[in-house]
Structures are given as structure tokens and as C-alpha cells.
Amino acid sequence: MAKCEICQKDTFFGRKIRITRSQISRRALTQQQPNVHSVKVVVDGTPTTKKVCTRCLRSGLVKRA
């Protein structure tokens, strides 16, 4: 499973609604994964590899090695 080790972002679910002939015909659960990359990150002065989502990378929550 894809899970960010910084913000704990995990799999989330939603509903996909198809509209046919002006009526809601089907409601199906969809499963979406966060955009997670394995990145070398500096933690306590030592570089380690962690799975980090791109939102944490862009916002500057982690520092790349």
C-alpha cells in the first residue's frame, strides 16, 4: 500500500457517478492512491530513504539528501 511516512496520507475512497439520460444510473466505489515516491531524506543529520508524497516534497516538509 502507498502511504506517506510524513503526513500519513493513505488510500481514500470516493464514489464515481455515471449520469445517463439525466438520471444517476450507477454509483461505484473508487479507490485512489496518493502520489508517493521513495526519496532520500535527511533525518537527524543522517540520510535515510522514506516514502514521501509529492505534497510534502513541494511544501518543504522534508529536506532531500
Side-chain angles (χ1 to χ4, degrees):
M1 279 286 168
K3 186 172 184 179
C4 179
E5 296 181 16
I6 305 300
C7 66
Q8 306 303 317
K9 186 185 281 188
D10 201 2
T11 303
F12 58 96
F13 296 92
R15 294 202 180 267
K16 179 169 44 171
I17 298 174
R18 293 183 183 172
I19 299 174
T20 306
R21 296 186 190 146
S22 301
Q23 296 176 2
I24 298 173
S25 60
R26 297 186 186 261
R27 293 173 188 247
L29 278 178
T30 61
Q31 178 180 359
Q32 295 182 355
Q33 302 286 335
N35 192 2
V36 176
H37 294 271
S38 291
V39 178
K40 280 194 176 181
V41 178
V42 176
V43 177
D44 298 328
T46 59
T48 58
T49 303
K50 291 197 174 220
K51 291 183 179 179
V52 182
C53 68
T54 54
R55 185 176 208 116
C56 291
L57 287 173
R58 282 186 293 136
S59 63
L61 292 176
V62 295
K63 185 176 179 185
R64 287 185 177 229

